[in-house]
C-alpha cells in the first residue's frame, strides 16, 4: 500500500490545491510500481521554513500497520523533522480531513485507504484545528477565498480550545419537529471518547398541569454535571433539568434506581428527553407564533412521539452495541447479526407494532446504503474494547 | 421475516389462552419457623396449636400438612392466644388492647382461618376522662369451660365478662376491685389498691368459682353465682401466676422472688395467711429437699438472677428428678400435651412438653426416661445457623432419596419415628401425596449443609452434613465442657438446635451442587474451599486428598489482603454414613467461591471466585485449567471480604434510604391478597417500625456512567456451565465449558474428555475456543445451551438413564446468555446474535436470578413449555419464551426492599420457587398453573351452639361467598382425574362443617362429656401463663404448672 504524506503549513492550503493534479498523476505511477517503496520529496525547504510544502510517498503493508507511535516516528523520519510536533490528518472516503492521533484512528485510516492514503501533516503551533471535521474538502473553496483575500484571513488568531480528540459528533438535539417546544431531546454519543458521561440524577417533584389544576408529581432531575464531562461539554443539559424519557421510555412512575439502571443500560447511545430548567434557550419553530405558551403544549405531548422515537432508536440500538467475539484464531471480531437491518424497513414494520415489544428485530432485505454509515461507526465503537483486551495480554491464540 | 412478525400478532388470542393454561402465580405456603413469635396456645380437643407473631400473624399447626394462616388487619404484636377448646374459635389479644375472634371454617372441604369480629374494652363507665387508658388494659384472658363466656382481667384490677362468640360485654357481671377489697382486712389493705389482675383460674370442678390473683399478692376465690368472696389467700409476695391442682384442693402461686407456694383451699375460715409449702427451687437449697411425689412441676425462669439471669430455662421437676432445660433464645410460652384419660391419683399424665422459644419449637417427651426431645416434622428452625445459600433438586430418584433418609436416620435415630410420636396431630391433611420427591439443600454459615424434604407442604429435615471437621478450626468441639456440666447445680441441659454463632465464618457454604444420578455432591465455601463428596452408606475413616489451584496465574502486583485459607486436618478423619468428602480443592487466593458446576459423567468440577476460575478432574485428582479473570486495575478484588465491610454498610444505608423513599412516595404495595404475602408485608412494616429514628439526609443522587472495563470486581466469575455442543465447527460436537464474569465476558473452552474406560490413563484437556465480550458489560448471570429444537440440554446421565429425551444434535445449537441487563440468544458454533431482550433498557429493572423452567399446561400434561423465569431487583418475576425471548407474563413477588429475600430466591425445574421471608422462613411460590404445592387440610370442629345468626362467615361454607383471593383457597391442579377423587375425600369432612351443625343444633351443655371438661380445664390452666414471659428481661417470673 502506498502512502503519500504531505507536510503543509496552514497558509499554504493553496499549494495543496494547486498540486493536487500532480499528486494524482503521481499516484497512478506509483500504483503501477506495485509495493515499491518510493519516497518522493517535493519539499521546497525554503529558507523561511514557513512557506513550504513537501511530499513523500512510501508504502506500508496494509495488514500490519503497526502502532501509531511507529508511524509518527516514520513520518518524522521521512520528512526529516525529528523534533517538530506535528498534527497528522488524512482524508477519508467522503473527502473529510480527519486526524490521526492514536492507534485506533490510525488503523481506521489504513483500513480505508483505497489504495492510497493521503496524509497531511501540519506543524502543531500553526495548526488550523478548524480544518478538521466534516466537509473539509468541500469547504476548501472557502478556504481558498479566504486565502485569496488576505485581509479577511489575516490575524484573526485562532483560539486553541483543545486537541481535536475526536471528530465524531458528541451530542445532538433531535426530534425538534415532533416535540413540544418546552422539551428537548438530547442524544449523547458516548462511544469513542474517554470522557465520562458526567452527570448525576436525583429525585424531586415537579408541577404538572392536569385537568384538576396544578398538581405536584414526583420527577427525576439532573442534579449535577461533572466538569469536563460529556454532558457538561455539550451545553445541552443543565442542573435541574427534568428528565422525562430515557431512550423513548417515559420515566414517570419509575424510581430513581430504575431510571439510573435504564440510563446506564443505554449509556452507549443515550437519548434523554428533558424539560430544561431554563426555558429561554428553547428552539423556536418558524411555524409557531412566538407568543404561544410553551406550557400549553406540555400536556398535549403527542402520544405517537415515543413510538416514532422508539422505532428510530431500535434501528440505532441494533448497531450501537455489538458484542465482540474472539475466535480461536485470536482475531477479535464483531458478532455479526443474522442479517443487517435497514432503518427504513424497520420503521415500516415497527409502526405496526407496539414500541415496547421485544427488541428482537427481523432481518429483511438489506439496504446497505443506509447501514453503511452505521457500520463504520460500529467499528469505531469496538476499538476501545479491543484495546483493553489486548492490554490484558490474556488472549490466547490457538 | 416480516410476514412472521405479522403472523405473530394474529396468533395472540390462542397464545393468550395457552398462557392462561401455563402460567399462574401464587404464594402457597411458608416453610420453617415463624419470625418473632410472641404467643402460643393449644387446643387439646382439636390437637392443634396456634402461634402468634409480633407482626400480627396467627398460624395454626396440627398434624404434618395441617397448617392455617391468618393475619390481623393491625400490624401489632399478638400478646395472647386462647382456643375455645374444640369449637374452632380462637381468641387473640393484641398489644393495642384489642380482642379478636378467629374462626376455623370449612369451604370446599378445606378448613380456613378467618377473623370474624373484634372487640375493644370501653373505658370504665363514670370515671371517663379521669382514668388513664391503661386501667382497662387487658392483662389476663380466661375463656370459661362453658365456652360461652370469657373473663378479662385488667390493669385496673377489674374483671370483665364477655359473651362468646358474640364478643359482647356482660356489664352486669363486671367485678370491680372494690367488691373484693370490702372483704380484705384493713391491715393487709394498707390503703393501697391490689394492683392489676395477674391471673384468673376457673375451679377445676365447679365452673362457677374463679380464683383471681392480684399483682400485690392477694388471691381471692370468687363465687360468680352469689357474687361473694369465698376465700382469701393473703400472699405477701408479688404474684406472677396461679394454678389449680387438678383436684381443686390446692392452689399454687408463683412469685417474683423466684419461689412458688402451695395453698390449701380447705374450708376452715375465710382467710388463709400461710401457704402449706413455700419453695424457692433455685435458692440456696439442696435438691433432696423436694418432696417425693409423682406430679410434674414445670415452670419457666426461677433462676437466681445474679448467676443465671442470662439463661433461658424451663425447669421440669418430677419427684427427685429435675431437669433444667436451657434454651438459646427467650422462652415465649409452653404447654403440655396429655393423654385423654386421667389415671388414678388425680394427676394427668403429660405425654409431652411443648416449649416455644423465640427461635424454635422444642418438644420434650415426658414419657420416655431421660426426657428426650422429639424432632418436629415442621416448624424447622432453618436458621439454626444463618442460611448462606440454597439449592433445589426436583425429581430425586427413589434410590438416592432412601440413601439420604437412611443416612439421616443413623444420624438422629428418632427422626423416623417423629411423625408417629408427634403429639400435636389434629386435623387431616387433604393434599395429595406429592407426585415427585423434591430436595431442598441449604448451606449454612457454620459449614453445614441441611437436606430438607421439600416435596410437600411441611418441610421436613432429612439429613445434616457438616464440613467443619475436615478443617482445623480455632474452636474444637467443646464436648469436654459439657461433660463437666454434669456435676453442676442446677443441672442445665441444652436443648434445641438454634445456634447462630459460627465458629469460623470461613466455613460458610457459598455454593452447592449435586448430581442426583451419581450421588456426587460439590460444596464450596467462603475460604475458597471446594469439596467433592460421595454418598457412602457405611462409615469410613480416610484422608481427604487436598489440591490447591492458583487462580492468579502468576499475575504480578496483587497481594491478597483477606482471610487465610482453611488449614485442612492431616491424616485420616472418621466420617459418619452419608456424604463423605473425597477431594478438597482450595483456591488461591482463598476468596469466596462464587460459582460452581459439576459434570459427573466427565468427572469434572468447575469453580470460580472473584479472581478467576478453575477446572478440576476429581477422578484423577488433578487440576485441568486455571484462568485469571482479574482486570489489571482491579484493586478491590484483592482486599478480601473484611475490608468490604465499609461498602456493605454504605449499601445498607442506601437501601434504607430507598425504603424510606418508597414509603414517602406512597408507591403501591405488592400483591395484596394472599395471606402469606400479607404476613410478609406486616413483617416488613414491623422491621421498619423497629428501625432507629431516621435522620434526614441530603437528597440521594445517582451517578450516570457506563460500566468500564476496569470497574472494581469485574473479574468475579458469576456462572459456569458444562455442555456437549458445537463450539469449533458445526460438524463435531464435544464437551465444552463456559464461564461468565461480572464484566460481561464469556469464556468458552473445548474439552478433551477421554472415554469412560480411559479416565485413569488420559488426562482431560481444555483449550480456549472463544471469548465473547458483551458490549454492555453487565455481569453474566447465566449461560445455557439450547439444542436444535430450542430445548435446554439435559443433565448428565439423564439421557442414558432414559429420564430425558436425547437432545437434538442435528440442528444447530444456540446459546442463551443472560446478563444482569439483557438476555441474548446466539447461534453456535459461529457466534452471531439471534434474538435479544433488553430488560433494563425497557423496564429499568435488573436481573437477579434466572432459571430455565419447564411448565406443564393445565389443559394437557404433555404440553410442556420451556421458559426463562427471571427475578428482578424490583422483586418481580418475568417469564419469557425460549429461544424467542418474548415476554409472557410478569408478577410482583417480593418487595423490592427485601434484598435478602431476593438474594435467597431459588427456582425449581418445574416452576416453583423458594425465598426467605425472614431468616427462618421460606416462602414457597408457584409460577405454574399445574404444579402447585399448597396446604389443604381439614379440622373437624364441633360448635357448641348454632352460630349462623352471629357469624356471617358461615355462609361462606355454603359456597355463596366469592372465592377467597388467597392461594390457599384455589383447588390444587393435580392430575386430571383428581377433582373427582378429592370430592370423595371431602365428603366425610363436610358433615362437621358449620353448615351441618346448623341443621342439627347441638344442645349447649348436654353433649359435653366429663372428659371434655377435663381436657378443657387443662387447656385453661395453660392459658393463664401466656402473659408471664412478656416482660421477662427485667423480671424473671416463675410460672408454675402442676399436673
Amino acid at each position: 500500500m502506498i502512502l503519500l504524506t504531505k507536510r503543509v503549513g496552514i497558509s499554504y492550503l493553496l499549494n495543496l490545491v494547486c498540486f493536487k493534479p500532480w499528486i494524482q498523476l503521481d499516484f497512478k505511477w506509483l500504483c503501477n510500481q506495485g509495493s515499491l517503496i518510493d519516497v518522493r520529496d517535493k519539499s521546497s525547504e525554503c529558507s523561511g521554513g514557513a512557506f513550504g510544502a513537501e511530499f513523500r510517498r512510501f508504502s506500508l503493508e496494509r495488514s500490519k500497520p503497526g502502532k501509531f507511535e511507529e508511524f509518527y516516528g516514520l513520518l518524522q523520519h521521512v520528512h526529516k523533522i525529528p523534533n517538530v510536533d506535528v498534527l497528522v490528518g488524512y482524508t477519508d472516503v467522503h473527502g473529510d480531513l480527519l486526524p490521526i492521533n492514536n492507534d485506533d484512528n490510525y488503523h481506521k485510516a489504513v483500513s480505508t485507504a483505497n489504495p492510497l492514503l493521503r496524509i497531511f501533516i501540519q506543524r502543531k503551533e500553526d495548526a488550523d484545528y478548524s480544518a478538521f471535521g466534516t466537509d473539509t474538502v468541500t469547504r476548501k473553496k472557502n478556504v481558498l477565498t479566504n486565502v485569496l483575500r488576505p485581509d479577511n484571513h489575516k490575524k484573526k488568531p485562532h483560539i486553541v480550545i483543545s486537541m481535536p480528540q475526536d471528530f465524531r459528533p458528541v451530542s445532538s438535539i433531535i426530534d425538534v419537529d415532533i416535540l413540544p417546544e418546552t422539551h428537548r431531546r438530547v442524544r449523547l454519543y458516548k462511544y469513542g471518547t474517554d470522557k465520562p458521561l458526567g452527570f448525576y440524577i436525583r429525585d424531586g417533584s415537579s408541577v404538572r398541569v392536569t385537568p384538576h389544576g396544578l398538581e405536584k408529581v414526583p420527577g427525576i432531575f439532573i442534579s449535577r454535571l461533572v466538569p469536563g464531562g460529556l454532558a457538561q461539554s455539550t451545553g445541552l443539559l443543565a442542573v435541574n433539568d427534568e428528565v422525562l424519557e430515557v431512550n423513548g421510555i417515559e420515566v414517570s412512575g419509575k424510581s430513581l434506581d430504575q431510571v439510573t439502571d435504564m440510563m446506564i443500560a443505554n449509556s452507549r447511545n443515550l437519548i434523554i428527553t428533558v424539560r430544561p430548567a431554563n426555558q429561554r434557550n428553547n428552539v423556536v419553530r418558524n411555524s409557531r407564533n412566538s407568543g404561544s405558551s410553551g406550557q400549553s403544549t406540555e400536556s398535549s405531548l403527542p402520544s405517537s412521539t415515543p413510538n416514532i422515537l422508539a422505532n428510530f432508536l431500535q434501528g440505532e440500538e441494533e448497531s450501537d452495541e455489538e458484542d465482540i467475539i474472539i475466535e480461536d484464531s485470536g482475531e477479535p471480531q464483531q458478532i455479526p447479526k443474522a442479517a443487517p437491518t435497514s432503518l427504513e424497513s424497520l420503521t415500516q414494520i415497527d409502526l405496526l407494532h407496539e414500541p415496547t415489544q421485544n427488541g428482537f428485530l427481523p432481518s429483511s432485505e438489506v439496504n446497505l446504503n443506509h447501514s453503511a454509515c452505521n457500520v463504520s461507526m460500529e467499528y469505531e465503537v469496538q476499538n476501545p474494547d479491543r484495546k483493553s483486551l489486548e492490554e490484558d495480554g490474556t488472549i490466547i491464540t490457538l | 421475516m416480516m410476514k412472521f412478525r405479522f403472523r405473530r400478532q394474529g396468533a395472540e388470542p390462542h397464545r393468550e389462552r395457552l398462557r392462561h393454561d401455563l402460567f399462574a402465580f401464587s404464594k402457597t405456603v411458608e416453610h420453617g419457623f415463624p419470625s418473632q413469635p410472641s404467643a402460643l396456645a393449644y387446643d387439646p380437643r382439636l390437637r392443634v396449636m396456634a402461634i402468634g407473631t409480633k407482626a400480627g400473624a396467627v398460624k395454626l399447626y396440627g398434624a404434618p400438612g395441617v397448617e392455617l394462616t391468618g393475619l390481623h388487619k393491625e400490624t401489632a404484636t399478638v400478646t395472647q392466644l386462647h382456643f375455645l377448646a374444640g369449637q374452632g374459635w380462637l381468641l387473640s389479644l393484641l398489644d393495642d388492647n384489642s380482642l379478636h375472634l378467629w374462626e376455623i371454617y370449612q369451604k370446599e372441604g378445606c378448613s380456613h382461618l378467618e377473623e370474624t369480629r373484634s372487640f375493644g374494652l370501653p373505658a370504665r363507665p363514670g370515671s371517663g376522662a379521669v382514668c388513664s387508658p391503661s386501667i382497662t388494659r387487658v392483662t389476663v384472658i380466661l375463656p370459661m369451660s362453658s365456652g360461652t363466656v370469657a373473663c378479662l382481667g385488667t390493669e385496673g384490677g377489674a374483671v370483665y365478662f364477655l359473651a362468646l362468640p358474640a364478643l359482647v360485654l356482660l356489664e352486669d357481671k363486671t367485678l370491680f376491685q372494690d367488691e373484693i377489697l370490702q372483704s380484705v382486712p384493713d391491715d393487709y389493705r394498707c390503703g393501697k389498691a391490689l394492683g392489676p389482675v395477674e391471673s384468673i383460674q376457673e375451679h377445676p370442678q365447679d365452673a362457677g368459682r374463679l380464683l383471681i390473683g392480684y399483682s400485690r399478692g392477694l388471691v381471692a376465690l370468687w363465687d360468680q353465682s352469689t357474687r361473694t368472696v369465698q376465700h382469701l389467700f393473703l400472699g405477701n409476695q408479688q404474684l406472677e401466676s396461679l394454678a389449680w391442682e387438678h383436684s381443686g384442693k390446692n392452689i399454687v402461686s408463683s412469685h417474683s422472688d423466684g419461689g412458688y407456694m402451695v395453698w390449701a383451699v380447705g374450708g376452715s375460715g375465710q382467710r388463709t395467711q400461710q401457704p402449706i409449702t413455700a419453695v424457692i427451687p433455685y435458692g440456696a437449697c439442696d435438691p433432696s429437699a423436694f418432696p417425693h411425689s409423682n406430679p410434674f412441676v414445670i415452670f419457666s425462669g426461677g433462676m437466681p438472677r445474679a448467676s443465671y439471669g442470662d439463661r433461658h430455662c424451663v425447669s421440669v421437676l418430677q419427684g427427685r428428678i429435675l431437669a433444667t432445660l436451657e434454651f438459646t433464645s427467650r422462652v415465649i410460652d409452653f404447654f403440655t400435651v396429655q393423654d385423654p384419660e386421667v389415671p388414678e391419683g388425680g394427676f394427668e399424665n403429660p405425654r409431652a412438653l411443648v416449649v416455644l422459644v423465640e427461635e424454635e419449637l422444642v418438644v420434650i417427651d415426658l414419657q420416655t426416661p431421660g426426657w428426650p426431645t422429639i424432632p418436629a416434622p415442621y416448624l424447622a428452625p432453618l436458621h439454626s445457623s444463618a442460611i448462606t445459600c440454597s439449592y433445589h433438586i426436583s425429581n430425586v430418584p427413589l434410590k438416592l432419596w432412601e440413601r439420604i433418609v437412611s443416612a439421616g436416620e443413623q444420624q438422629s435415630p428418632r427422626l423416623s419415628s417423629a411423625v408417629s410420636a408427634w403429639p400435636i396431630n389434629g386435623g387431616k391433611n387433604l393434599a395429595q401425596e406429592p407426585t415427585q420427591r423434591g430436595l431442598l439443600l441449604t448451606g449454612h454459615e457454620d459449614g453445614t449443609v441441611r437436606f430438607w424434604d421439600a416435596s410437600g407442604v411441611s418441610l421436613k429435615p432429612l439429613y445434616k452434613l457438616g464440613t467443619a471437621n475436615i478443617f482445623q478450626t480455632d474452636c474444637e468441639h467443646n464436648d469436654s465442657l459439657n461433660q463437666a456440666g454434669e456435676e453442676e447445680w442446677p443441672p442445665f441441659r441444652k436443648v434445641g438446635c438454634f445456634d447462630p454463632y459460627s465458629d469460623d465464618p470461613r466455613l460458610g457454604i457459598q455454593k452447592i451442587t449435586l448430581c442426583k444420578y451419581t450421588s456426587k455432591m460439590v460444596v464450596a465455601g467462603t475460604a475458597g474451599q471446594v469439596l467433592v463428596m460421595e454418598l457412602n452408606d457405611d462409615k469410613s475413616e480416610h484422608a481427604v486428598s487436598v489440591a490447591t489451584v492458583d487462580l492468579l496465574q502468576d499475575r504480578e502486583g496483587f497481594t491478597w489482603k483477606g482471610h487465610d485459607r482453611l488449614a485442612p486436618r492431616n491424616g485420616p478423619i472418621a466420617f459418619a454414613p452419608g456424604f463423605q468428602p473425597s477431594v478438597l480443592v482450595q483456591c488461591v487466593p482463598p476468596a469466596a467461591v462464587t460459582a460452581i458446576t459439576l459434570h459427573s459423567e466427565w468427572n469434572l468440577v468447575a469453580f470460580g471466585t472473584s479472581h478467576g476460575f478453575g477446572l478440576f478432574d476429581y477422578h484423577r485428582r488433578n487440576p485441568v485449567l486455571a484462568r485469571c479473570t482479574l482486570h489489571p486495575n482491579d484493586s478491590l478484588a484483592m482486599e478480601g471480604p473484611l475490608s468490604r465491610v465499609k461498602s456493605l454498610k454504605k449499601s445498607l444505608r442506601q437501601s434504607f434510604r430507598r425504603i424510606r423513599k418508597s414509603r414517602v412516595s406512597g408507591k403501591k404495595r405488592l400483591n395484596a391478597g394472599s395471606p402469606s404475602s400479607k404476613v410478609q408485608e406486616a413483617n416488613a412494616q414491623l422491621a421498619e417500625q423497629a428501625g432507629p429514628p431516621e435522620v434526614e439526609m441530603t437528597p440521594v443522587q445517582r451517578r450516570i456512567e457506563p460500566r468500564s472495563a476496569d470497574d472494581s470486581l469485574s473479574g468475579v466469575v458469576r456462572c459456569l456451565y458444562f455442555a456437549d455442543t458445537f463450539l469449533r465447527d458445526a460438524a463435531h460436537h464435544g464437551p465444552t465449558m463456559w464461564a461468565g464474569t461480572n464484566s460481561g465476558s464469556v469464556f468458552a473452552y473445548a474439552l478433551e474428555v477421554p472415554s469412560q474406560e480411559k479416565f485413569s490413563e488420559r488426562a482431560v484437556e481444555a483449550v480456549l475456543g472463544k471469548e465473547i465480550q458483551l458490549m454492555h458489560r453487565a455481569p453474566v448471570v447465566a449461560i445455557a445451551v439450547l439444542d436444535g429444537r430450542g430445548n435446554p440440554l439435559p443433565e448428565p446421565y439423564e439421557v442414558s438413564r432414559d429420564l430425558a429425551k436425547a437432545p437434538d444434535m442435528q440442528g444447530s445449537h444456540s446459546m442463551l446468555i443472560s446478563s444482569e441487563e439483557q438476555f441474548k440468544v446466539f447461534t453456535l458454533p459461529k457466534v452471531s446474535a439471534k434474538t435479544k431482550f433488553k430488560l433494563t433498557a425497557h423496564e429499568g429493572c435488573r436481573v437477579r436470578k434466572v432459571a430455565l423452567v419447564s411448565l406443564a399446561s393445565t389443559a394437557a400434561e404433555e404440553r410442556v413449555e420451556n421458559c426463562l423465569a427471571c427475578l428482578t431487583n424490583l422483586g418481580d418475576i418475568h417469564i419469557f419464551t425460549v429461544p424467542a425471548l418474548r415476554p409472557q407474563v410478569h408478577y410482583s413477588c417480593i418487595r423490592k426492599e427485601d434484598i435478602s429475600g431476593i438474594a435467597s430466591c431459588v427456582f425449581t425445574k418445574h416452576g416453583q420457587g423458594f425465598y426467605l421471608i425472614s431468616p427462618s422462613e421460606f416462602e414457597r411460590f408457584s409460577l405454574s398453573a399445574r404444579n402447585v404445592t399448597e396446604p389443604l387440610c381439614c379440622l373437624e370442629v364441633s360448635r357448641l351452639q348454632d352460630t349462623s345468626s352471629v357469624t356471617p362467615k358461615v355462609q361462606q361454607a355454603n359456597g355463596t361467598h366469592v372465592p377467597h383471593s388467597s392461594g390457599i383457597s384455589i383447588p390444587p391442579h393435580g392430575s386430571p382425574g383428581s377433582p373427582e377423587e378429592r370430592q370423595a375425600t371431602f365428603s366425610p369432612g363436610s358433615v362437621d362443617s358449620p353448615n351441618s351443625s346448623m341443621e342439627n343444633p347441638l344442645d349447649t351443655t348436654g353433649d359435653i362429656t366429663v372428659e371434655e371438661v377435663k381436657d378443657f380445664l387443662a387447656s385453661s390452666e395453660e392459658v393463664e401463663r401466656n402473659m408471664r414471659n412478656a416482660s421477662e428481661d427485667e423480671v424473671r417470673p416463675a410460672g408454675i404448672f402442676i399436673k
Side-chain angles (χ1 to χ4, degrees), chain A residues 95-259:
Chain A
D96 296 347
L97 180 60
L98 303 174
I100 298 179
N101 49 19
N102 57 37
D103 284 351
D104 298 321
N105 49 22
Y106 168 54
H107 291 164
K108 174 74 180 161
V110 170
S111 67
T112 55
N114 189 23
L116 189 85
L117 182 66
R118 281 194 283 164
I119 304 277
F120 295 83
I121 307 172
Q122 286 176 275
R123 203 202 294 264
K124 215 170 213 172
E125 45 265 41
D126 48 29
D128 174 17
Y129 297 101
S130 68
F132 289 115
T134 41
D135 299 336
T136 18
V137 175
T138 48
R139 254 193 319 179
K140 273 170 199 156
K141 276 174 195 132
N142 298 335
V143 176
L144 185 61
T145 53
N146 282 348
V147 175
L148 291 174
R149 274 181 288 157
D151 53 300
N152 195 3
H153 164 72
K154 214 177 252 171
K155 293 317 125 195
K156 251 194 194 165
H158 267 288
I159 301 157
V160 178
I161 300 164
S162 66
M163 284 285 286
Q165 290 296 328
D166 201 342
F167 43 87
R168 299 295 177 196
V170 290
S171 66
S172 54
I173 301 184
I174 57 173
D175 294 339
V176 179
D177 48 336
I178 52 172
L179 280 181
E181 284 171 12
T182 52
H183 295 183
R184 181 186 295 162
R185 188 165 288 162
V186 178
R187 182 169 184 176
L188 297 174
Y189 303 80
K190 164 66 184 138
Y191 49 63
T193 58
D194 295 331
K195 258 189 194 175
L197 273 175
F199 68 100
Y200 290 72
I201 57 171
R202 65 168 169 88
D203 276 318
S205 62
S206 71
V207 179
R208 287 283 152 88
V209 186
T210 66
H212 318 290
L214 292 176
E215 212 171 78
K216 240 184 171 184
V217 290
I220 304 287
F221 294 85
I222 293 176
S223 62
R224 202 183 127 198
L225 298 178
V226 177
L230 190 58
Q232 193 212 36
S233 65
T234 65
L236 300 176
L237 298 173
V239 172
N240 292 333
D241 285 2
E242 184 182 359
V243 178
L244 302 171
E245 289 172 8
V246 176
N247 287 50
I249 294 160
E250 281 194 44
V251 304
S252 71
K254 292 207 157 55
S255 70
L256 184 64
D257 292 307
Q258 276 177 285
V259 177

Side-chain angles (χ1 to χ4, degrees), chain A residues 260-279:
Chain A
T260 307
D261 286 338
M262 284 166 70
M263 286 189 172
I264 290 173
N266 288 305
S267 57
R268 287 181 184 268
N269 180 24
L270 184 59
I271 299 173
I272 39 183
T273 310
V274 294
R275 182 167 43 180
N278 178 357
Q279 290 279 338

Side-chain angles (χ1 to χ4, degrees), chain B residues 102-166:
Chain B
W102 294 81
E103 183 184 332
I104 299 165
Y105 68 95
Q106 311 279 327
K107 194 177 69 185
E108 290 159 9
C110 303
S111 292
H112 303 274
L113 184 68
E114 193 158 60
E115 185 183 336
T116 55
R117 48 175 57 83
S118 62
F119 171 79
L121 205 58
R124 189 170 167 173
S127 53
V130 183
C131 70
S132 67
S134 71
I135 292 289
T136 56
R137 184 163 189 87
V138 177
T139 51
V140 193
I141 301 176
L142 170 71
M144 305 278 276
S145 56
S146 64
T148 54
V149 176
C151 314
L152 311 178
T154 60
E155 196 127 330
V159 178
Y160 297 86
F161 294 86
L162 208 57
L164 293 176

Side-chain angles (χ1 to χ4, degrees), chain A residues 190 195-203 218 223-224 226 246-247 249 253-268 270 314 317-318 320-329 333-338 345 348-350 352-364 381-382 384-385 388-389 391-392 394-396 398, chain B residues 1-2 4-6 8-9 555 625 627-633 654 658 661 665 667 699-709 727-728 745 747 749 767-777 821-822 824 826-827 829-846 848 873-874 876 880-881 884-887 896:
Chain A
K190 164 66 184 138
K195 258 189 194 175
L197 273 175
F199 68 100
Y200 290 72
I201 57 171
R202 65 168 169 88
D203 276 318
S223 62
R224 202 183 127 198
V226 177
V246 176
N247 287 50
I249 294 160
K254 292 207 157 55
S255 70
L256 184 64
D257 292 307
Q258 276 177 285
V259 177
T260 307
D261 286 338
M262 284 166 70
M263 286 189 172
I264 290 173
N266 288 305
S267 57
R268 287 181 184 268
L270 184 59
Q314 282 190 342
E317 270 180 309
E318 279 311 297
D320 73 342
E321 42 169 74
E322 289 309 324
D323 310 312
I324 304 170
I325 166 137
I326 301 158
E327 290 287 349
D328 38 13
S329 64
Q333 69 177 76
Q334 212 169 344
I335 295 183
K337 275 194 290 289
S345 58
Q348 276 173 10
I349 295 159
D350 278 326
L352 299 158
H353 293 268
E354 291 163 29
T356 51
Q357 252 165 5
N358 178 340
F360 166 70
L361 287 167
S363 57
S364 53
V381 177
Q382 306 319 320
D385 300 293
S388 70
L389 283 170
E391 280 173 359
D392 241 336
T394 53
I395 292 169
I396 297 169
L398 301 166
Chain B
M1 240 343 157
M2 214 189 283
F4 166 68
R5 297 264 295 196
F6 287 127
R8 182 156 67 87
Q9 201 77 347
R555 200 62 88 79
L625 169 80
R627 164 86 193 235
C628 181
T629 54
L630 272 185
H631 190 272
N633 300 347
Q654 276 180 352
R658 289 180 203 182
K661 203 102 247 168
S665 56
K667 292 267 159 65
V700 186
Q701 288 191 108
R702 294 271 183 275
R703 183 159 172 250
I704 309 297
E705 213 55 71
R707 263 181 286 272
S708 70
L727 181 63
R728 287 199 265 197
S745 302
F747 304 93
Y749 285 82
V767 280
L768 183 67
K770 281 182 173 63
E771 262 186 60
I772 300 163
Q773 174 63 55
L774 300 176
M775 277 317 290
H776 62 288
R777 296 197 168 279
E821 291 186 352
Q822 41 181 272
K824 278 189 156 175
F826 297 91
T827 58
K830 179 137 187 65
V831 179
S832 63
K834 248 164 89 179
T835 53
K836 70 172 159 185
F837 185 82
K838 299 169 95 175
L839 184 73
T840 309
H842 287 130
E843 315 275 336
C845 53
R846 306 172 61 78
R848 282 284 171 267
N873 64 335
L874 304 179
D876 297 347
F880 299 87
T881 56
L885 297 181
R886 283 190 206 113
K896 69 175 175 211

